[in-house]
Amino acid sequence: MRKNKDTEIQFQETTKVINGQKYEVGELYLGKKKIGEILTYATKDFRVFIGDENCGSAKTMDDALELFIRQWNLQD
């Protein structure tokens, strides 16, 4: 029987300028490879991206992280 290995995803906060607007961005890394981003568009508007694909939005950062993990597991 095969054991599942825990996967550690690192979260780094940064800022990004998009169309002249400055946004807070959480970058998600698996090792050294960037696997996704969570952009904070407004107080209760977090957008989840895997690569260039918009995977949806959430009202809290916790919900956005959960959405990211669900979408990542579907692609993996």
Side-chain angles (χ1 to χ4, degrees), residues 17-42:
V17 177
I18 302 170
N19 296 330
Q21 274 304 93
K22 193 182 242 187
Y23 295 99
E24 291 183 29
V25 179
E27 297 179 334
L28 299 147
Y29 289 88
L30 184 59
K32 293 183 180 183
K33 179 182 176 190
K34 184 164 83 169
I35 56 174
E37 296 179 327
I38 298 175
L39 276 70
T40 305
Y41 279 99

mmCIF file with all atom_site columns, all heavy atoms in Angstrom, residues 17-42:
data_model
loop_
_atom_site.group_PDB
_atom_site.id
_atom_site.type_symbol
_atom_site.label_atom_id
_atom_site.label_alt_id
_atom_site.label_comp_id
_atom_site.label_asym_id
_atom_site.label_entity_id
_atom_site.label_seq_id
_atom_site.pdbx_PDB_ins_code
_atom_site.Cartn_x
_atom_site.Cartn_y
_atom_site.Cartn_z
_atom_site.occupancy
_atom_site.B_iso_or_equiv
_atom_site.pdbx_formal_charge
_atom_site.auth_seq_id
_atom_site.auth_comp_id
_atom_site.auth_asym_id
_atom_site.auth_atom_id
_atom_site.pdbx_PDB_model_num
ATOM 1   N N   . VAL A 1 17 ? 1.495   45.568 -9.878  1.00 0.00 ? 17 VAL A N   1
ATOM 2   C CA  . VAL A 1 17 ? 0.782   46.655 -10.539 1.00 0.00 ? 17 VAL A CA  1
ATOM 3   C C   . VAL A 1 17 ? 0.141   46.086 -11.799 1.00 0.00 ? 17 VAL A C   1
ATOM 4   O O   . VAL A 1 17 ? 0.816   45.546 -12.672 1.00 0.00 ? 17 VAL A O   1
ATOM 5   C CB  . VAL A 1 17 ? 1.730   47.815 -10.890 1.00 0.00 ? 17 VAL A CB  1
ATOM 6   C CG1 . VAL A 1 17 ? 0.984   48.900 -11.646 1.00 0.00 ? 17 VAL A CG1 1
ATOM 7   C CG2 . VAL A 1 17 ? 2.369   48.376 -9.627  1.00 0.00 ? 17 VAL A CG2 1
ATOM 8   N N   . ILE A 1 18 ? -1.196  46.189 -11.860 1.00 0.00 ? 18 ILE A N   1
ATOM 9   C CA  . ILE A 1 18 ? -1.960  45.695 -13.002 1.00 0.00 ? 18 ILE A CA  1
ATOM 10  C C   . ILE A 1 18 ? -2.824  46.849 -13.501 1.00 0.00 ? 18 ILE A C   1
ATOM 11  O O   . ILE A 1 18 ? -3.649  47.381 -12.756 1.00 0.00 ? 18 ILE A O   1
ATOM 12  C CB  . ILE A 1 18 ? -2.846  44.491 -12.615 1.00 0.00 ? 18 ILE A CB  1
ATOM 13  C CG1 . ILE A 1 18 ? -1.987  43.368 -12.043 1.00 0.00 ? 18 ILE A CG1 1
ATOM 14  C CG2 . ILE A 1 18 ? -3.648  44.005 -13.817 1.00 0.00 ? 18 ILE A CG2 1
ATOM 15  C CD1 . ILE A 1 18 ? -2.766  42.240 -11.425 1.00 0.00 ? 18 ILE A CD1 1
ATOM 16  N N   . ASN A 1 19 ? -2.625  47.232 -14.743 1.00 0.00 ? 19 ASN A N   1
ATOM 17  C CA  . ASN A 1 19 ? -3.354  48.358 -15.352 1.00 0.00 ? 19 ASN A CA  1
ATOM 18  C C   . ASN A 1 19 ? -3.266  49.618 -14.495 1.00 0.00 ? 19 ASN A C   1
ATOM 19  O O   . ASN A 1 19 ? -4.248  50.327 -14.306 1.00 0.00 ? 19 ASN A O   1
ATOM 20  C CB  . ASN A 1 19 ? -4.820  47.992 -15.598 1.00 0.00 ? 19 ASN A CB  1
ATOM 21  C CG  . ASN A 1 19 ? -4.977  46.864 -16.595 1.00 0.00 ? 19 ASN A CG  1
ATOM 22  O OD1 . ASN A 1 19 ? -4.156  46.700 -17.494 1.00 0.00 ? 19 ASN A OD1 1
ATOM 23  N ND2 . ASN A 1 19 ? -6.016  46.071 -16.436 1.00 0.00 ? 19 ASN A ND2 1
ATOM 24  N N   . GLY A 1 20 ? -2.092  49.888 -13.939 1.00 0.00 ? 20 GLY A N   1
ATOM 25  C CA  . GLY A 1 20 ? -1.886  51.081 -13.130 1.00 0.00 ? 20 GLY A CA  1
ATOM 26  C C   . GLY A 1 20 ? -2.386  50.987 -11.697 1.00 0.00 ? 20 GLY A C   1
ATOM 27  O O   . GLY A 1 20 ? -2.172  51.892 -10.909 1.00 0.00 ? 20 GLY A O   1
ATOM 28  N N   . GLN A 1 21 ? -3.061  49.907 -11.322 1.00 0.00 ? 21 GLN A N   1
ATOM 29  C CA  . GLN A 1 21 ? -3.555  49.667 -9.954  1.00 0.00 ? 21 GLN A CA  1
ATOM 30  C C   . GLN A 1 21 ? -2.569  48.778 -9.215  1.00 0.00 ? 21 GLN A C   1
ATOM 31  O O   . GLN A 1 21 ? -2.071  47.809 -9.770  1.00 0.00 ? 21 GLN A O   1
ATOM 32  C CB  . GLN A 1 21 ? -4.843  48.887 -9.975  1.00 0.00 ? 21 GLN A CB  1
ATOM 33  C CG  . GLN A 1 21 ? -6.203  49.470 -10.114 1.00 0.00 ? 21 GLN A CG  1
ATOM 34  C CD  . GLN A 1 21 ? -6.624  50.499 -9.138  1.00 0.00 ? 21 GLN A CD  1
ATOM 35  O OE1 . GLN A 1 21 ? -6.452  51.647 -9.393  1.00 0.00 ? 21 GLN A OE1 1
ATOM 36  N NE2 . GLN A 1 21 ? -7.246  50.099 -8.066  1.00 0.00 ? 21 GLN A NE2 1
ATOM 37  N N   . LYS A 1 22 ? -2.339  49.077 -7.958  1.00 0.00 ? 22 LYS A N   1
ATOM 38  C CA  . LYS A 1 22 ? -1.463  48.256 -7.121  1.00 0.00 ? 22 LYS A CA  1
ATOM 39  C C   . LYS A 1 22 ? -2.324  47.272 -6.328  1.00 0.00 ? 22 LYS A C   1
ATOM 40  O O   . LYS A 1 22 ? -3.300  47.672 -5.691  1.00 0.00 ? 22 LYS A O   1
ATOM 41  C CB  . LYS A 1 22 ? -0.675  49.152 -6.165  1.00 0.00 ? 22 LYS A CB  1
ATOM 42  C CG  . LYS A 1 22 ? 0.462   48.468 -5.471  1.00 0.00 ? 22 LYS A CG  1
ATOM 43  C CD  . LYS A 1 22 ? 1.146   49.415 -4.524  1.00 0.00 ? 22 LYS A CD  1
ATOM 44  C CE  . LYS A 1 22 ? 2.572   49.610 -4.942  1.00 0.00 ? 22 LYS A CE  1
ATOM 45  N NZ  . LYS A 1 22 ? 3.333   50.394 -3.965  1.00 0.00 ? 22 LYS A NZ  1
ATOM 46  N N   . TYR A 1 23 ? -1.988  45.980 -6.393  1.00 0.00 ? 23 TYR A N   1
ATOM 47  C CA  . TYR A 1 23 ? -2.740  44.926 -5.709  1.00 0.00 ? 23 TYR A CA  1
ATOM 48  C C   . TYR A 1 23 ? -1.813  44.111 -4.816  1.00 0.00 ? 23 TYR A C   1
ATOM 49  O O   . TYR A 1 23 ? -0.654  43.882 -5.156  1.00 0.00 ? 23 TYR A O   1
ATOM 50  C CB  . TYR A 1 23 ? -3.389  43.970 -6.720  1.00 0.00 ? 23 TYR A CB  1
ATOM 51  C CG  . TYR A 1 23 ? -4.431  44.607 -7.582  1.00 0.00 ? 23 TYR A CG  1
ATOM 52  C CD1 . TYR A 1 23 ? -4.136  45.017 -8.873  1.00 0.00 ? 23 TYR A CD1 1
ATOM 53  C CD2 . TYR A 1 23 ? -5.727  44.794 -7.115  1.00 0.00 ? 23 TYR A CD2 1
ATOM 54  C CE1 . TYR A 1 23 ? -5.092  45.592 -9.681  1.00 0.00 ? 23 TYR A CE1 1
ATOM 55  C CE2 . TYR A 1 23 ? -6.692  45.370 -7.907  1.00 0.00 ? 23 TYR A CE2 1
ATOM 56  C CZ  . TYR A 1 23 ? -6.370  45.766 -9.186  1.00 0.00 ? 23 TYR A CZ  1
ATOM 57  O OH  . TYR A 1 23 ? -7.323  46.346 -9.989  1.00 0.00 ? 23 TYR A OH  1
ATOM 58  N N   . GLU A 1 24 ? -2.344  43.637 -3.697  1.00 0.00 ? 24 GLU A N   1
ATOM 59  C CA  . GLU A 1 24 ? -1.638  42.671 -2.867  1.00 0.00 ? 24 GLU A CA  1
ATOM 60  C C   . GLU A 1 24 ? -1.825  41.297 -3.499  1.00 0.00 ? 24 GLU A C   1
ATOM 61  O O   . GLU A 1 24 ? -2.934  40.939 -3.897  1.00 0.00 ? 24 GLU A O   1
ATOM 62  C CB  . GLU A 1 24 ? -2.186  42.663 -1.450  1.00 0.00 ? 24 GLU A CB  1
ATOM 63  C CG  . GLU A 1 24 ? -1.888  43.903 -0.662  1.00 0.00 ? 24 GLU A CG  1
ATOM 64  C CD  . GLU A 1 24 ? -2.388  43.821 0.764   1.00 0.00 ? 24 GLU A CD  1
ATOM 65  O OE1 . GLU A 1 24 ? -2.472  42.703 1.315   1.00 0.00 ? 24 GLU A OE1 1
ATOM 66  O OE2 . GLU A 1 24 ? -2.713  44.883 1.301   1.00 0.00 ? 24 GLU A OE2 1
ATOM 67  N N   . VAL A 1 25 ? -0.726  40.551 -3.570  1.00 0.00 ? 25 VAL A N   1
ATOM 68  C CA  . VAL A 1 25 ? -0.759  39.237 -4.212  1.00 0.00 ? 25 VAL A CA  1
ATOM 69  C C   . VAL A 1 25 ? -0.096  38.225 -3.297  1.00 0.00 ? 25 VAL A C   1
ATOM 70  O O   . VAL A 1 25 ? 0.972   38.468 -2.754  1.00 0.00 ? 25 VAL A O   1
ATOM 71  C CB  . VAL A 1 25 ? -0.006  39.262 -5.565  1.00 0.00 ? 25 VAL A CB  1
ATOM 72  C CG1 . VAL A 1 25 ? -0.018  37.895 -6.208  1.00 0.00 ? 25 VAL A CG1 1
ATOM 73  C CG2 . VAL A 1 25 ? -0.588  40.294 -6.492  1.00 0.00 ? 25 VAL A CG2 1
ATOM 74  N N   . GLY A 1 26 ? -0.738  37.084 -3.125  1.00 0.00 ? 26 GLY A N   1
ATOM 75  C CA  . GLY A 1 26 ? -0.139  35.959 -2.430  1.00 0.00 ? 26 GLY A CA  1
ATOM 76  C C   . GLY A 1 26 ? 0.315   34.956 -3.470  1.00 0.00 ? 26 GLY A C   1
ATOM 77  O O   . GLY A 1 26 ? -0.497  34.465 -4.252  1.00 0.00 ? 26 GLY A O   1
ATOM 78  N N   . GLU A 1 27 ? 1.621   34.710 -3.537  1.00 0.00 ? 27 GLU A N   1
ATOM 79  C CA  . GLU A 1 27 ? 2.160   33.753 -4.500  1.00 0.00 ? 27 GLU A CA  1
ATOM 80  C C   . GLU A 1 27 ? 2.348   32.412 -3.809  1.00 0.00 ? 27 GLU A C   1
ATOM 81  O O   . GLU A 1 27 ? 2.866   32.347 -2.697  1.00 0.00 ? 27 GLU A O   1
ATOM 82  C CB  . GLU A 1 27 ? 3.482   34.259 -5.062  1.00 0.00 ? 27 GLU A CB  1
ATOM 83  C CG  . GLU A 1 27 ? 3.339   35.543 -5.831  1.00 0.00 ? 27 GLU A CG  1
ATOM 84  C CD  . GLU A 1 27 ? 4.661   36.066 -6.371  1.00 0.00 ? 27 GLU A CD  1
ATOM 85  O OE1 . GLU A 1 27 ? 5.722   35.769 -5.789  1.00 0.00 ? 27 GLU A OE1 1
ATOM 86  O OE2 . GLU A 1 27 ? 4.604   36.780 -7.379  1.00 0.00 ? 27 GLU A OE2 1
ATOM 87  N N   . LEU A 1 28 ? 1.926   31.351 -4.474  1.00 0.00 ? 28 LEU A N   1
ATOM 88  C CA  . LEU A 1 28 ? 1.995   29.999 -3.929  1.00 0.00 ? 28 LEU A CA  1
ATOM 89  C C   . LEU A 1 28 ? 3.086   29.217 -4.656  1.00 0.00 ? 28 LEU A C   1
ATOM 90  O O   . LEU A 1 28 ? 3.101   29.177 -5.886  1.00 0.00 ? 28 LEU A O   1
ATOM 91  C CB  . LEU A 1 28 ? 0.640   29.311 -4.069  1.00 0.00 ? 28 LEU A CB  1
ATOM 92  C CG  . LEU A 1 28 ? -0.460  30.053 -3.311  1.00 0.00 ? 28 LEU A CG  1
ATOM 93  C CD1 . LEU A 1 28 ? -1.774  29.927 -4.021  1.00 0.00 ? 28 LEU A CD1 1
ATOM 94  C CD2 . LEU A 1 28 ? -0.543  29.551 -1.912  1.00 0.00 ? 28 LEU A CD2 1
ATOM 95  N N   . TYR A 1 29 ? 3.982   28.632 -3.874  1.00 0.00 ? 29 TYR A N   1
ATOM 96  C CA  . TYR A 1 29 ? 5.127   27.907 -4.427  1.00 0.00 ? 29 TYR A CA  1
ATOM 97  C C   . TYR A 1 29 ? 5.139   26.466 -3.945  1.00 0.00 ? 29 TYR A C   1
ATOM 98  O O   . TYR A 1 29 ? 4.847   26.184 -2.788  1.00 0.00 ? 29 TYR A O   1
ATOM 99  C CB  . TYR A 1 29 ? 6.440   28.562 -3.987  1.00 0.00 ? 29 TYR A CB  1
ATOM 100 C CG  . TYR A 1 29 ? 6.705   29.894 -4.634  1.00 0.00 ? 29 TYR A CG  1
ATOM 101 C CD1 . TYR A 1 29 ? 6.229   31.072 -4.067  1.00 0.00 ? 29 TYR A CD1 1
ATOM 102 C CD2 . TYR A 1 29 ? 7.434   29.972 -5.807  1.00 0.00 ? 29 TYR A CD2 1
ATOM 103 C CE1 . TYR A 1 29 ? 6.470   32.300 -4.664  1.00 0.00 ? 29 TYR A CE1 1
ATOM 104 C CE2 . TYR A 1 29 ? 7.682   31.199 -6.406  1.00 0.00 ? 29 TYR A CE2 1
ATOM 105 C CZ  . TYR A 1 29 ? 7.198   32.353 -5.832  1.00 0.00 ? 29 TYR A CZ  1
ATOM 106 O OH  . TYR A 1 29 ? 7.435   33.574 -6.420  1.00 0.00 ? 29 TYR A OH  1
ATOM 107 N N   . LEU A 1 30 ? 5.499   25.580 -4.862  1.00 0.00 ? 30 LEU A N   1
ATOM 108 C CA  . LEU A 1 30 ? 5.771   24.181 -4.552  1.00 0.00 ? 30 LEU A CA  1
ATOM 109 C C   . LEU A 1 30 ? 7.261   24.012 -4.805  1.00 0.00 ? 30 LEU A C   1
ATOM 110 O O   . LEU A 1 30 ? 7.701   23.989 -5.954  1.00 0.00 ? 30 LEU A O   1
ATOM 111 C CB  . LEU A 1 30 ? 4.950   23.258 -5.450  1.00 0.00 ? 30 LEU A CB  1
ATOM 112 C CG  . LEU A 1 30 ? 5.038   21.774 -5.198  1.00 0.00 ? 30 LEU A CG  1
ATOM 113 C CD1 . LEU A 1 30 ? 4.603   21.445 -3.779  1.00 0.00 ? 30 LEU A CD1 1
ATOM 114 C CD2 . LEU A 1 30 ? 4.183   21.023 -6.189  1.00 0.00 ? 30 LEU A CD2 1
ATOM 115 N N   . GLY A 1 31 ? 8.052   24.006 -3.737  1.00 0.00 ? 31 GLY A N   1
ATOM 116 C CA  . GLY A 1 31 ? 9.506   24.065 -3.890  1.00 0.00 ? 31 GLY A CA  1
ATOM 117 C C   . GLY A 1 31 ? 9.863   25.450 -4.385  1.00 0.00 ? 31 GLY A C   1
ATOM 118 O O   . GLY A 1 31 ? 9.455   26.454 -3.825  1.00 0.00 ? 31 GLY A O   1
ATOM 119 N N   . LYS A 1 32 ? 10.580  25.531 -5.513  1.00 0.00 ? 32 LYS A N   1
ATOM 120 C CA  . LYS A 1 32 ? 10.941  26.821 -6.098  1.00 0.00 ? 32 LYS A CA  1
ATOM 121 C C   . LYS A 1 32 ? 10.022  27.220 -7.240  1.00 0.00 ? 32 LYS A C   1
ATOM 122 O O   . LYS A 1 32 ? 10.150  28.302 -7.802  1.00 0.00 ? 32 LYS A O   1
ATOM 123 C CB  . LYS A 1 32 ? 12.382  26.779 -6.601  1.00 0.00 ? 32 LYS A CB  1
ATOM 124 C CG  . LYS A 1 32 ? 13.394  26.660 -5.483  1.00 0.00 ? 32 LYS A CG  1
ATOM 125 C CD  . LYS A 1 32 ? 14.803  26.685 -6.014  1.00 0.00 ? 32 LYS A CD  1
ATOM 126 C CE  . LYS A 1 32 ? 15.793  26.561 -4.862  1.00 0.00 ? 32 LYS A CE  1
ATOM 127 N NZ  . LYS A 1 32 ? 17.176  26.641 -5.317  1.00 0.00 ? 32 LYS A NZ  1
ATOM 128 N N   . LYS A 1 33 ? 9.089   26.352 -7.592  1.00 0.00 ? 33 LYS A N   1
ATOM 129 C CA  . LYS A 1 33 ? 8.200   26.598 -8.729  1.00 0.00 ? 33 LYS A CA  1
ATOM 130 C C   . LYS A 1 33 ? 6.929   27.320 -8.272  1.00 0.00 ? 33 LYS A C   1
ATOM 131 O O   . LYS A 1 33 ? 6.224   26.850 -7.375  1.00 0.00 ? 33 LYS A O   1
ATOM 132 C CB  . LYS A 1 33 ? 7.833   25.268 -9.380  1.00 0.00 ? 33 LYS A CB  1
ATOM 133 C CG  . LYS A 1 33 ? 6.913   25.392 -10.551 1.00 0.00 ? 33 LYS A CG  1
ATOM 134 C CD  . LYS A 1 33 ? 6.558   24.035 -11.111 1.00 0.00 ? 33 LYS A CD  1
ATOM 135 C CE  . LYS A 1 33 ? 5.557   24.172 -12.224 1.00 0.00 ? 33 LYS A CE  1
ATOM 136 N NZ  . LYS A 1 33 ? 5.031   22.875 -12.630 1.00 0.00 ? 33 LYS A NZ  1
ATOM 137 N N   . LYS A 1 34 ? 6.645   28.474 -8.913  1.00 0.00 ? 34 LYS A N   1
ATOM 138 C CA  . LYS A 1 34 ? 5.409   29.187 -8.602  1.00 0.00 ? 34 LYS A CA  1
ATOM 139 C C   . LYS A 1 34 ? 4.250   28.453 -9.267  1.00 0.00 ? 34 LYS A C   1
ATOM 140 O O   . LYS A 1 34 ? 4.260   28.214 -10.473 1.00 0.00 ? 34 LYS A O   1
ATOM 141 C CB  . LYS A 1 34 ? 5.468   30.633 -9.090  1.00 0.00 ? 34 LYS A CB  1
ATOM 142 C CG  . LYS A 1 34 ? 4.231   31.416 -8.698  1.00 0.00 ? 34 LYS A CG  1
ATOM 143 C CD  . LYS A 1 34 ? 4.416   32.910 -8.818  1.00 0.00 ? 34 LYS A CD  1
ATOM 144 C CE  . LYS A 1 34 ? 4.192   33.341 -10.222 1.00 0.00 ? 34 LYS A CE  1
ATOM 145 N NZ  . LYS A 1 34 ? 4.105   34.806 -10.352 1.00 0.00 ? 34 LYS A NZ  1
ATOM 146 N N   . ILE A 1 35 ? 3.260   28.073 -8.457  1.00 0.00 ? 35 ILE A N   1
ATOM 147 C CA  . ILE A 1 35 ? 2.153   27.282 -8.981  1.00 0.00 ? 35 ILE A CA  1
ATOM 148 C C   . ILE A 1 35 ? 0.839   28.046 -9.015  1.00 0.00 ? 35 ILE A C   1
ATOM 149 O O   . ILE A 1 35 ? -0.130  27.585 -9.606  1.00 0.00 ? 35 ILE A O   1
ATOM 150 C CB  . ILE A 1 35 ? 1.978   25.969 -8.189  1.00 0.00 ? 35 ILE A CB  1
ATOM 151 C CG1 . ILE A 1 35 ? 1.777   26.258 -6.699  1.00 0.00 ? 35 ILE A CG1 1
ATOM 152 C CG2 . ILE A 1 35 ? 3.164   25.054 -8.424  1.00 0.00 ? 35 ILE A CG2 1
ATOM 153 C CD1 . ILE A 1 35 ? 1.462   25.035 -5.876  1.00 0.00 ? 35 ILE A CD1 1
ATOM 154 N N   . GLY A 1 36 ? 0.788   29.216 -8.381  1.00 0.00 ? 36 GLY A N   1
ATOM 155 C CA  . GLY A 1 36 ? -0.450  29.974 -8.413  1.00 0.00 ? 36 GLY A CA  1
ATOM 156 C C   . GLY A 1 36 ? -0.352  31.281 -7.674  1.00 0.00 ? 36 GLY A C   1
ATOM 157 O O   . GLY A 1 36 ? 0.666   31.586 -7.045  1.00 0.00 ? 36 GLY A O   1
ATOM 158 N N   . GLU A 1 37 ? -1.431  32.058 -7.779  1.00 0.00 ? 37 GLU A N   1
ATOM 159 C CA  . GLU A 1 37 ? -1.506  33.355 -7.121  1.00 0.00 ? 37 GLU A CA  1
ATOM 160 C C   . GLU A 1 37 ? -2.911  33.591 -6.593  1.00 0.00 ? 37 GLU A C   1
ATOM 161 O O   . GLU A 1 37 ? -3.884  33.100 -7.166  1.00 0.00 ? 37 GLU A O   1
ATOM 162 C CB  . GLU A 1 37 ? -1.192  34.491 -8.092  1.00 0.00 ? 37 GLU A CB  1
ATOM 163 C CG  . GLU A 1 37 ? 0.188   34.502 -8.648  1.00 0.00 ? 37 GLU A CG  1
ATOM 164 C CD  . GLU A 1 37 ? 0.407   35.647 -9.610  1.00 0.00 ? 37 GLU A CD  1
ATOM 165 O OE1 . GLU A 1 37 ? -0.540  36.051 -10.317 1.00 0.00 ? 37 GLU A OE1 1
ATOM 166 O OE2 . GLU A 1 37 ? 1.540   36.137 -9.653  1.00 0.00 ? 37 GLU A OE2 1
ATOM 167 N N   . ILE A 1 38 ? -2.981  34.360 -5.515  1.00 0.00 ? 38 ILE A N   1
ATOM 168 C CA  . ILE A 1 38 ? -4.259  34.842 -5.006  1.00 0.00 ? 38 ILE A CA  1
ATOM 169 C C   . ILE A 1 38 ? -4.156  36.363 -4.963  1.00 0.00 ? 38 ILE A C   1
ATOM 170 O O   . ILE A 1 38 ? -3.329  36.909 -4.238  1.00 0.00 ? 38 ILE A O   1
ATOM 171 C CB  . ILE A 1 38 ? -4.576  34.263 -3.615  1.00 0.00 ? 38 ILE A CB  1
ATOM 172 C CG1 . ILE A 1 38 ? -4.684  32.738 -3.696  1.00 0.00 ? 38 ILE A CG1 1
ATOM 173 C CG2 . ILE A 1 38 ? -5.866  34.882 -3.071  1.00 0.00 ? 38 ILE A CG2 1
ATOM 174 C CD1 . ILE A 1 38 ? -4.880  32.048 -2.364  1.00 0.00 ? 38 ILE A CD1 1
ATOM 175 N N   . LEU A 1 39 ? -4.957  37.034 -5.776  1.00 0.00 ? 39 LEU A N   1
ATOM 176 C CA  . LEU A 1 39 ? -4.939  38.490 -5.846  1.00 0.00 ? 39 LEU A CA  1
ATOM 177 C C   . LEU A 1 39 ? -6.041  39.059 -4.975  1.00 0.00 ? 39 LEU A C   1
ATOM 178 O O   . LEU A 1 39 ? -7.179  38.587 -5.021  1.00 0.00 ? 39 LEU A O   1
ATOM 179 C CB  . LEU A 1 39 ? -5.139  38.970 -7.282  1.00 0.00 ? 39 LEU A CB  1
ATOM 180 C CG  . LEU A 1 39 ? -3.889  39.017 -8.152  1.00 0.00 ? 39 LEU A CG  1
ATOM 181 C CD1 . LEU A 1 39 ? -3.407  37.627 -8.479  1.00 0.00 ? 39 LEU A CD1 1
ATOM 182 C CD2 . LEU A 1 39 ? -4.138  39.816 -9.385  1.00 0.00 ? 39 LEU A CD2 1
ATOM 183 N N   . THR A 1 40 ? -5.707  40.078 -4.201  1.00 0.00 ? 40 THR A N   1
ATOM 184 C CA  . THR A 1 40 ? -6.687  40.768 -3.367  1.00 0.00 ? 40 THR A CA  1
ATOM 185 C C   . THR A 1 40 ? -7.180  41.971 -4.159  1.00 0.00 ? 40 THR A C   1
ATOM 186 O O   . THR A 1 40 ? -6.492  42.981 -4.269  1.00 0.00 ? 40 THR A O   1
ATOM 187 C CB  . THR A 1 40 ? -6.057  41.228 -2.039  1.00 0.00 ? 40 THR A CB  1
ATOM 188 O OG1 . THR A 1 40 ? -5.483  40.098 -1.397  1.00 0.00 ? 40 THR A OG1 1
ATOM 189 C CG2 . THR A 1 40 ? -7.099  41.845 -1.127  1.00 0.00 ? 40 THR A CG2 1
ATOM 190 N N   . TYR A 1 41 ? -8.389  41.867 -4.734  1.00 0.00 ? 41 TYR A N   1
ATOM 191 C CA  . TYR A 1 41 ? -8.952  42.958 -5.524  1.00 0.00 ? 41 TYR A CA  1
ATOM 192 C C   . TYR A 1 41 ? -9.679  43.967 -4.653  1.00 0.00 ? 41 TYR A C   1
ATOM 193 O O   . TYR A 1 41 ? -9.714  45.145 -4.951  1.00 0.00 ? 41 TYR A O   1
ATOM 194 C CB  . TYR A 1 41 ? -9.900  42.421 -6.594  1.00 0.00 ? 41 TYR A CB  1
ATOM 195 C CG  . TYR A 1 41 ? -9.167  41.914 -7.811  1.00 0.00 ? 41 TYR A CG  1
ATOM 196 C CD1 . TYR A 1 41 ? -8.927  40.562 -7.988  1.00 0.00 ? 41 TYR A CD1 1
ATOM 197 C CD2 . TYR A 1 41 ? -8.698  42.789 -8.769  1.00 0.00 ? 41 TYR A CD2 1
ATOM 198 C CE1 . TYR A 1 41 ? -8.246  40.099 -9.092  1.00 0.00 ? 41 TYR A CE1 1
ATOM 199 C CE2 . TYR A 1 41 ? -8.014  42.334 -9.878  1.00 0.00 ? 41 TYR A CE2 1
ATOM 200 C CZ  . TYR A 1 41 ? -7.795  40.995 -10.042 1.00 0.00 ? 41 TYR A CZ  1
ATOM 201 O OH  . TYR A 1 41 ? -7.110  40.536 -11.133 1.00 0.00 ? 41 TYR A OH  1
ATOM 202 N N   . ALA A 1 42 ? -10.292 43.494 -3.598  1.00 0.00 ? 42 ALA A N   1
ATOM 203 C CA  . ALA A 1 42 ? -11.026 44.368 -2.675  1.00 0.00 ? 42 ALA A CA  1
ATOM 204 C C   . ALA A 1 42 ? -11.029 43.679 -1.312  1.00 0.00 ? 42 ALA A C   1
ATOM 205 O O   . ALA A 1 42 ? -10.516 42.571 -1.156  1.00 0.00 ? 42 ALA A O   1
ATOM 206 C CB  . ALA A 1 42 ? -12.444 44.603 -3.170  1.00 0.00 ? 42 ALA A CB  1
#
